[in-house]
Structure formats: C-alpha cells, structure tokens
Amino acid sequence: MPALSNRLIAAWAWLAGLGGLAALIAAGVGQGVPRRAAGAAILVLAVLKARVILARYLDLDRARAWLSGFGWAVTLWAALVLGLYLV
Amino acid sequence: MREVMTKSMARNIFYGGSLFFIIIFLGLSAHSVGYITSQPTHQTLDASVVAGKRVWEENACINCHTIMGEGAYYAPEVANVMKRWGVDDDPEAAFEALKGWIESQPTGIEGRRQMPRFDLTDEQIRDLANFLLWTGTVDTQNWPPNDAG
Amino acid sequence: MKYETQKIALAYFAVAMALFAIQVSAGLLAGWVYVSPNTLSELLPFNIIRMLHSNSLVVWLITGFMGAAYFLIPEESEREIHSPTLAYLQLLILVVGTLGAVVTYVFDLFHGHWLLGMEGREFIEQPVWVKVGIVVAALIFLYNVTMTVLAGKKTAITNILLLGLWGLALLFLFSFYNPGNLSLDKQFWWYIVHLWVEGVWELIMASILAYLMLKLTGVDREVVEKWLYVIVALALFSGILGTGHHYYWIGTPGYWQWIGSIFSSLEVVPFFAMMAFAFVMVWKGRRDHPNKAALLWSLGCATLAFFGAGVWGFLHTLHGVNYYTHGTQITAAHGHLAFYGAYVSLNLAIFTYAMPILLNRDPYNQVLNMGSFWLMSGGVVFMTFALTFAGTVQTHLQRVLGENFMDVQDQLAIFYWMRFGAGIAVVLGALLFIYAVAVPRKEIIEPGAAETPAE
Amino acid sequence: MSDAASGSALDDLPGELLMWVLIVSELLVFGAGLVAFMAVRLTDPAGFAAAQDHLFRAGAALNTMVLVSSGFLAAQALRWREAGARGAARWALVAAAALGVVFLIIKGAEYAAKSADGIGWDTHAFFTFYYLLTGFHAAHVVAGVVLLMLVAWRDAVANIQAVAMFWHMVDLVWVLLYPVIYLLA
C-alpha cells in the first residue's frame, strides 16, 4: 500500500474528534451542561468541521481567499441558526 | 492557464445531475399519488362527481373561473363556492342554488361581467354541484384564506 | 443560407407569425372585455376568447421552436434535413389541427364528444383528435431532426435542443391522462405545463440562444457550449423539483410547500446565468454582426426572461406568500412577462436572425424591427406593472380583508384600462414586427457600405 | 467560461468549476432548508424537542464517523491516483463506497425504527423536515456510492477528482445537518 497522506490523516482525526466532542456535549445537556451554551458549542464545532472538510478534503487550503469566503458563509449561516435557536 | 471546466465533464454533470433530480421527483410523485389515493376524498369520489368534473370541462368553465386557484382570473374561485353559498353540507340545497344561478345567466346587466347561458340538464347540474361539493372537501392545506376565495 | 432545406423554416415561421397575430388580437379583445364586459358576451364569451389567446400562444411558440430547429440543425450538423417532404407534411398536420381546434372552440362543435369535442382542461383544451394529430406531427418532427443529427455532426447545441424537443413531446402525452380525482388530474397536468415552461423549454431556449450568440458575437464554440451546459444544468436542477410550487394547495402532501419554496427560489439562477451569458458574450465577442436587431432581441430576451420568469416568479413562489397571492392578478402579471421575455422574444430573435437569410436580402431595414422591440417590450412591461399593482390590491382586499371577488374586481378597473392600453401597444408592435421581417424592402446597398440607409 | 474568467479568482478553485457551482447550490438548498427548520421550530419549541427525543442520536454520531472516514478514503484515493498508484486508489474508492453503504444501512435502520413506532413524515412538522432533509441527503449518498464505484472502474484523474468533490460535499452537508437536526435540543 502506498503511503497515506499525513495531512489527510490529521484532517480525519480532527473531524472524528470534533464530532465526538459535539456528541458528548449534546449528551451532557440532560446532566448539567447548560442548554444554550451547549447549542453554541455544537454549532462552533460544526463550523470547525466544515472548515476542515473545505480546507483539506476539498483542497481549499490551496486557495486561501476561497477558503475564507466559504468559511465566512458557513459562519454567518451558523450564527443565523444559533440566533433562531436562542430566541 | 489551467482549464477550470472541461466540456465533457460539464456534460456529464448535467446528465448525471438531471437524472438524480428526475429520480427524486418521480419517487416523490409516486408518494404523492399514494397520499392522494389514501385520502378520504378518494373514497367519496363517486360516478356523479366524475361526471360533474366532465361537465366542468366540457363547458370550459376554467377559462373564466379558477378552481383551487388555477384557471382564468375573470370570475370567482369555485373550489369553495358551496361553502360561500352556505350549502356545503346539503347536496339538495347545493343543487338548487347552482340551478338557480346557472338559469339566471346571463344577467345582461350593463357593465357587469357576463356568465354565458349553459344549457344543462338537471342531472348535469346535479353532477356539477356534487363535483363542486366534493372539491370543497379536498384537504388543500387551508387554502383559500377565506370564503371570498 | 448554406443548406437548401433550411428553407423549410420559412413556412414554419410564417405560420407562427400568423398565429402570433391571432394570439395578441385575442389577447387585446380579452383585455377589452375586462373593461367592457358586455362586449360579445353572447356570441363569443370570455372563456372562448381566452382559449384562443392561450392556445394560439402555445402553438405558435412550438411552431417557432420547430422552425428554429429546421433552420439551425442543418448548419450545426452540416447535413440537409433528412426529409423535407415529411417536414411540410408535419406542418400541414399542425395547421389542420390548429384550425380544427379554433373552429371547434368558436362554434362549440361536437359538444361533449369524446373524440371531436373540446376537452376543457386549461391549455390542453384541444379535441382528442387534434391531440393525436399533435403527437403524430411531433413524432414526424422528432424522427426527421433526429435522423438528420444522427447522420451529421453532433454539437452540444443540437444535443440540448433535441433533448428539449423530445422532452416536450413526451411530456405532452400526459394530456391523454385525465383521472376523475381533481388532485391527481392537477398533479399530472403540471407535468405538462410546469415541466414544459420551467423544464424542457428552457433547454430549447438556452440552446437557441447559444446558437444566436455563436453566430452574432463570434465567440468560440467551446466557450459557448460550456456555458450552455452550466445553464441547462442549473435550469433542470432547480426546475424539476421546483414543480413543487404548484403542489401547495391542490390536495398533495404538505412537504411540497418546502420543496417547492426552496427549489423554485433557485429557478431565478439559470435565468440570471442566461442573462450574464448573453451580455458577457456580446462584450467578449469581436464580431460586428450587421443584424443588430437580432442582437437586440437576444439581449432583450435574456433580460426580460430574467425579470419575468426569474424575479416575478420568485415574488410569489414562497408558499407563505403564495398562500395569499395564488390565483390573483399577480399570477397573470408573472405569466405575461415570463412568456413574453423567455419564449416570445426568443422566437422573435431567431425569426429576426433567420428571415433575412431565408429571404436572401440582408442587410435590410432594421429600424422598424428594433422599433417593434421597444414598442412591444414597453407594452408588456407596462402591462406587467399594471397587473402587478392590480394583483397586490386584489390580494389585500380579497385575501386579507375577505372582500367579495366581484367587488374587488370593480375596484381594479383603472388597472384593467391601463392593461388594455398596454395591449394596444403590444398588438401594434407585433404587427410592426411581422411587417418588418416579412415584407421585403428593396434597398440598394453598396457592398461594404458601413451602414444601412435606414440607420 | 474559462475564456470569460481568464485571470479571475475562479482559476484558483481546485477542481471543476461546475462542481463548485454544484457545491454552492447544494449548500444553499440545505442551508435554506435548515434555516426554515429552525424558523418553524420557533412556532413549537416543546413539540420539536419532544419529537427530537425520538431520534437515534448514537446512530447519527456513528454515521458522522462513517462519513468522514469515507471522505478520507476518497481524498486519499485521489492522491494515490495522482501519484500513479491506480490499484490502491481503486481499492480506496471501493472502500469509500462500502462505508457509504454502511451509512445507508444505519440510516435505513433509523427510518425503520421510526416507522415501527408509527412515526411518519406527517406526524409532526419536525418529522417533515427530518425526512425531507435527511432523505434528500441520503439520496445524495446513494448517488455518491454509485459514482464512487463508477470511477473506481473508469479511473481517470479528472473523474476521481469530480466524484471525490461530490463526496466531500455530501460530507460537508452532513456535518452541518447532523448537529442542527440531532443535537440542538
């Protein structure tokens, strides 16, 4: 088997870790984790995961301007969702 | 300069993507047919209602009226006309009201929109009334917003 | 004209323009009945006038598309049309069918007859025998053009055009299916109406527009065809599920409200892309084509389609809005500008481009033609605004306040007068257009003269 | 368009431009759908929360792992194919597709459990959105599995790249959809 890409392995590890963390936070809501803070944290984690996919899987780290453009769009979207969640 | 788009790939994406959406659309269409035919209104669809629909079509009613909001916009909505007339729970009254209406046309009043005189038999009027009563019972997600149609 | 059989298009365009004249005249008459309702109310009631107006529109647009196909396919595939005889036979069938439908409507012949009588579902009122004739004509047409393309060069333009025309014909088959359940009837009726105008017709439109851009601007075929794929991809990706915006209130499941709202909101994107495409091509293009009128119609088509089909469609496509505006004059406003911008202008663009070539007389007097563009477009745009205001007032009075339909209509009289005035401009523009392209104007032009004398 | 966009920022985008058009369109569709979901939730927060409790969160978390792992394999396949390792690339694509099937099996089990509980799309507004959004996403997964197998067979670099981009888009949509539908209590 040819060598695996370390950058992709790192991306995969990040995605797995962030996803697991989000699941843990959500599971903790019944056990004392404040609901609103948990919601915010879950959405921040979602934005981070999206950025990892855009940068590493979709190779946008070779086009930084596009990466930040997509990053902003996803962030604004998450802010909108969070706003709707918190009102 | 790097080629940002090749024609063959553009073609493949077009055909593949269209196929994808067509399949989803057909799946949802099939589901909708199943939904419509499982509604109570599908059970109450009797021969008279179907005959009434035919009367509706043969006289090109839809080219003045709307039914469920579709048609011409020259004359009132008819999907809820029986409710507007207050006869939606009484087929006999619905028949009488419709017969009275049709036979009083055209009014000939100057400056008023004229409904033509349609020479319908009592049976045809009864079928048409049943069709309109039936249409009023379809679950249209609460449309129209009010009795004005 | 490089290929002899391109001449077939001339007959198709002539029939199309004759029907165009009938269509706008019937429209004007209907507009007059709106302001003076007793007119002809016993001889030719409103519903018959409207059938003439809408049916002749559909038939002339399709005849124009077919003529356009006969005109551009020989050039694209570098082959003569497979069989000119079949092409003329097909036109004959269409003309007989159209006349048959008109006579049946006007005199209400064979009332209620299953084969000969008028069918009475909106836009597909043709008697069954005419429908069969349409299918036969469509089969002849598809056989003829497909054989031509298969024997010759295959380009993206002909591929997309053929796909659109095949889709048009196949979807028409749903006009033979008329279930007793009104909800089912409507569900599949939209398979024809929506999947035509917001589906396969867009393919035809985009490919003809691409052909015109190729000829008028001299931009590379490679570039034009890539754009074409992007546009048609966007059109079908949004348009197919966009059908959901007709499934809000007809007894179909509630989920269509969300599918319809989201996908049909995106239907504006392909129209924007078409407009961007047309303007970018003209800017990029190095060719200074003498047929300025064809260029004007092409750009006008892309622009008005964007506003009529795109923007005016979006205005009332979200189900929360549509709940109140459905079936009001807002729909009429959208319908008029969308059909005019997308499909009428497209046909007139290809007529304007092709007629001088077919009649072997270019360059020619374009001022009248360009004048007709501004007159007609101005008229339709004004009509659209008048009907949009009428629809807004109607929505408020009837749907929000619950006032009686006829009482509301009486209050809209001023807008209907404005619409009638706009209609006069449109009819004059249409007649001017037909005159400008059909009547040869003998002009002595020095070879290489920079300008036509009329300019 | 290459001509029209010469020297423009579009040249910087890695991969087929039309794939990026597709990615943006899909993000718009799902983004709008999720925002609509959150907006409708405001009309009945308690009902939405109660409905959400019927969801199988552990399965969805597992599916996140499945999809991002599959995405990894697709990305790795492209690298390998570019480096000339065709055999390895093919196996990675087949494995990515297999994980897609695993995703669908878990999703199918989830739908079957809902159905067994008598829950359908019209039980509650929550479930209408749940089925529309996850169902539309699952349809993309089905298409992705077919495409991955297709390019494992017809393995030109451009083909693998386009399909990998599609697959990453499916991933991307899932990491945005999963938290909103399953986790925001």
Side-chain angles (χ1 to χ4, degrees):
Chain A
M1 189 175 76
L4 292 164
S5 156
N6 286 331
R7 289 175 57 73
L8 289 178
I9 292 176
W12 173 80
W14 272 109
L15 288 169
L18 295 170
L21 188 56
L24 280 180
I25 292 172
V29 168
Q31 282 93 43
V33 178
R35 193 185 68 90
R36 297 163 75 88
I42 286 166
L43 283 169
V44 169
L45 291 170
V47 172
L48 291 176
K49 277 182 280 181
R51 273 190 68 101
V52 172
I53 291 175
L54 286 163
R56 298 287 174 88
Y57 283 4
L58 281 164
D59 283 331
L60 277 190
D61 49 8
R62 285 195 260 141
R64 306 300 297 191
W66 283 103
L67 179 59
S68 73
F70 274 95
W72 273 111
V74 173
T75 307
L76 286 176
W77 171 83
L80 181 60
V81 170
L82 183 63
L84 289 167
Y85 180 62
L86 294 180
V87 291
Chain B
M1 192 191 71
R2 193 177 58 89
E3 191 77 23
V4 293
M5 183 166 72
T6 54
K7 196 161 86 184
S8 63
M9 192 60 79
R11 188 193 60 215
N12 294 345
I13 295 170
F14 165 66
Y15 284 114
S18 300
L19 186 65
F20 177 72
F21 282 104
I22 288 169
I23 290 171
I24 291 182
F25 181 65
L26 290 178
L28 288 169
S29 288
H31 182 267
S32 296
V33 170
Y35 170 89
I36 291 170
T37 50
S38 67
Q39 292 291 297
T41 42
H42 198 66
Q43 310 311 316
T44 54
L45 187 73
D46 58 22
S48 173
V49 173
V50 175
K53 180 169 180 282
R54 196 76 196 124
V55 174
W56 164 262
E57 289 163 2
E58 281 164 6
N59 294 285
C61 308
I62 202 161
N63 279 293
C64 286
H65 293 277
T66 53
I67 189 163
M68 293 174 176
E70 291 163 7
Y73 317 110
Y74 189 68
E77 167 68 30
V78 294
N80 65 345
V81 66
M82 293 305 177
K83 184 157 177 259
R84 199 181 313 134
W85 285 349
V87 292
D88 53 331
D89 46 8
D90 184 352
E92 198 53 41
F95 162 72
E96 291 297 338
L98 187 61
K99 184 177 161 73
W101 178 267
I102 284 176
E103 293 184 348
S104 65
Q105 304 300 324
T107 61
I109 298 170
E110 193 57 35
R112 290 290 292 177
R113 293 185 189 175
Q114 299 296 312
M115 177 162 156
R117 176 61 196 266
F118 293 104
D119 290 315
L120 303 180
T121 64
D122 276 7
E123 194 192 348
Q124 285 178 314
I125 294 177
R126 194 175 291 280
D127 291 339
L128 184 59
N130 286 338
F131 168 64
L132 294 174
L133 282 169
W134 178 87
T135 305
T137 62
V138 173
D139 175 9
T140 54
Q141 317 283 336
N142 293 323
W143 194 91
N146 55 51
D147 287 353
Chain C
M1 200 167 58
K2 290 202 199 103
Y3 296 88
E4 198 47 43
T5 48
Q6 286 183 286
K7 203 89 186 169
I8 296 167
L10 191 57
Y12 278 78
F13 291 166
V15 170
M17 282 189 280
L19 284 169
F20 178 37
I22 293 174
Q23 182 236 324
V24 290
S25 309
L28 187 65
L29 181 58
W32 176 250
V33 173
Y34 256 91
V35 294
S36 176
N38 303 79
T39 312
L40 293 176
S41 63
E42 317 244 341
L43 276 176
L44 194 63
F46 181 88
N47 58 343
I48 307 298
I49 302 174
R50 183 174 185 268
M51 280 199 292
L52 295 177
H53 181 54
S54 59
N55 280 237
S56 52
L57 168 72
V58 175
V59 176
W60 89 256
L61 291 179
I62 293 177
T63 310
F65 290 154
M66 289 171 166
Y70 281 126
F71 179 79
L72 67 82
I73 281 177
E75 257 184 58
E76 286 289 299
S77 57
E78 299 175 359
R79 281 289 181 290
E80 293 287 359
I81 290 292
H82 180 68
S83 164
T85 319
L86 280 179
Y88 288 113
L89 174 69
Q90 179 217 335
L91 184 63
L92 184 70
I93 296 174
L94 283 177
V95 170
V96 170
T98 306
L99 292 178
V102 168
V103 171
T104 309
Y105 296 166
V106 172
F107 299 102
D108 195 18
L109 299 176
F110 312 108
H111 186 95
H113 192 282
W114 69 274
L115 178 66
L116 305 174
M118 185 267 299
E119 286 244 282
R121 285 194 299 159
E122 198 184 5
F123 310 137
I124 47 173
E125 292 96 346
Q126 310 84 20
V128 174
W129 70 269
V130 175
K131 288 197 174 85
V132 172
I134 292 171
V135 170
V136 171
L139 286 176
I140 295 174
F141 170 76
L142 289 172
Y143 168 78
N144 213 357
V145 292
T146 307
M147 290 303 281
T148 312
V149 170
L150 286 181
K153 213 165 117 229
K154 291 154 203 72
T155 67
I157 290 176
T158 52
N159 283 347
I160 303 287
L161 182 64
L162 279 187
L163 188 65
L165 292 164
W166 272 96
L168 188 160
L170 290 177
L171 289 167
F172 183 71
L173 295 178
F174 282 97
S175 70
F176 291 98
Y177 175 61
N178 184 7
N181 188 319
L182 186 67
S183 299
L184 279 183
D185 171 359
K186 284 178 177 287
Q187 188 190 336
F188 289 101
W189 181 81
W190 284 115
Y191 264 51
I192 313 170
V193 179
H194 174 92
L195 291 178
W196 267 13
V197 297
E198 289 163 70
V200 293
W201 285 28
E202 280 188 58
L203 305 188
I204 298 170
M205 174 185 175
S207 58
I208 294 178
L209 206 54
Y211 171 82
L212 285 168
M213 286 297 132
L214 197 63
K215 297 290 164 182
L216 293 172
T217 68
V219 169
D220 282 355
R221 175 179 288 276
E222 199 64 15
V223 177
V224 168
E225 295 196 331
K226 278 185 210 171
W227 270 85
L228 179 59
Y229 277 121
V230 175
I231 290 167
V232 292
L234 289 168
L236 289 195
F237 295 178
S238 60
I240 293 174
L241 288 178
T243 315
H245 66 189
H246 301 294
Y247 291 171
Y248 296 163
W249 327 114
I250 61 169
T252 30
Y255 54 71
W256 285 110
Q257 297 186 357
W258 294 103
I259 298 175
S261 292
I262 289 173
F263 282 93
S264 69
S265 295
L266 293 173
E267 281 186 48
V268 67
V269 179
F271 285 106
F272 180 79
M274 251 186 269
M275 186 172 66
F277 161 68
F279 280 93
V280 170
M281 290 304 110
V282 172
W283 280 325
K284 289 268 161 194
R286 286 161 208 83
R287 184 178 300 167
D288 193 18
H289 197 279
N291 197 334
K292 297 280 180 271
L295 192 62
L296 178 64
W297 277 107
S298 304
L299 292 178
C301 166
T303 309
L304 292 170
F306 168 68
F307 283 101
V311 177
W312 254 257
F314 176 72
L315 278 183
H316 60 142
T317 201
L318 296 175
H319 69 263
V321 176
N322 194 262
Y323 183 66
Y324 294 101
T325 60
H326 180 53
T328 64
Q329 294 294 327
I330 297 273
T331 318
H334 160 60
H336 280 88
L337 190 58
F339 263 98
Y340 176 75
Y343 301 122
V344 173
S345 301
L346 178 78
N347 264 302
L348 300 186
I350 187 81
F351 295 176
T352 302
Y353 174 76
M355 285 297 276
I357 299 172
L358 291 168
L359 296 174
N360 202 13
R361 62 175 171 90
D362 66 334
Y364 69 110
N365 187 336
Q366 299 178 51
V367 171
L368 288 178
N369 188 321
M370 292 164 97
S372 80
F373 169 82
W374 292 108
L375 190 56
M376 240 187 290
S377 304
V380 174
V381 168
F382 187 80
M383 182 185 299
T384 303
F385 279 114
L387 292 178
T388 304
F389 283 117
T392 310
V393 173
Q394 184 188 5
T395 300
H396 182 70
L397 295 179
Q398 184 185 324
R399 292 289 163 69
V400 180
L401 301 182
E403 285 185 30
N404 185 322
F405 177 89
M406 284 311 300
D407 295 342
V408 174
Q409 291 296 313
D410 287 342
Q411 298 174 64
L412 301 177
I414 176 73
F415 299 114
Y416 293 139
W417 277 107
M418 288 158 74
R419 188 261 296 274
F420 177 72
I424 293 176
V426 175
V427 171
L428 289 178
L431 297 178
L432 184 60
F433 176 88
I434 294 169
Y435 177 78
V437 295
V439 180
R441 310 191 39 89
K442 284 189 184 136
E443 284 169 7
I444 319 296
I445 295 164
E446 296 298 320
E451 287 183 339
T452 55
E455 277 180 329
Chain D
M1 194 179 267
S2 57
D3 173 82
S6 56
S8 79
L10 294 179
D11 291 351
D12 299 336
L13 276 173
E16 280 283 330
L17 183 59
L18 196 47
M19 285 311 295
W20 282 104
V21 172
L22 190 69
I23 291 172
V24 171
S25 315
E26 299 274 6
L27 285 178
L28 282 175
V29 167
F30 280 102
L34 289 166
V35 168
F37 166 78
M38 290 305 288
V40 172
R41 175 184 164 277
L42 291 179
T43 62
D44 180 18
F48 269 63
Q52 196 190 40
D53 281 340
H54 287 96
L55 295 188
F56 182 37
R57 285 202 178 125
L62 182 61
N63 256 347
T64 309
M65 287 300 297
V66 170
L67 265 199
V68 300
S69 306
S70 180
F72 166 78
L73 286 168
Q76 187 62 65
L78 177 61
R79 299 280 195 286
W80 280 340
R81 180 63 184 83
E82 282 169 339
R86 288 179 71 169
R90 284 198 157 122
W91 282 112
L93 289 168
V94 171
L99 284 178
V101 173
V102 171
F103 177 94
L104 290 171
I105 291 170
I106 296 174
K107 186 104 270 176
E110 197 181 318
Y111 286 161
K114 294 286 155 304
S115 163
D117 289 351
I119 294 172
W121 66 271
D122 49 359
T123 307
H124 186 269
F126 176 89
F127 288 107
T128 306
F129 279 101
Y130 164 77
Y131 279 108
L132 279 183
L133 292 166
T134 63
F136 191 47
H137 178 264
H140 282 81
V141 177
V142 173
V145 168
V146 173
L147 291 171
L148 286 166
M149 294 307 288
L150 193 67
V151 296
W153 172 44
R154 302 291 289 268
D155 67 340
V157 174
N159 291 351
I160 296 181
Q161 187 184 36
V163 168
M165 286 173 77
F166 179 85
W167 198 235
H168 298 323
M169 173 190 81
V170 174
D171 243 2
L172 182 59
V173 167
W174 179 256
V175 302
L176 298 175
L177 183 153
Y178 155 71
V180 175
I181 299 228
Y182 288 85
L183 300 184
L184 287 185

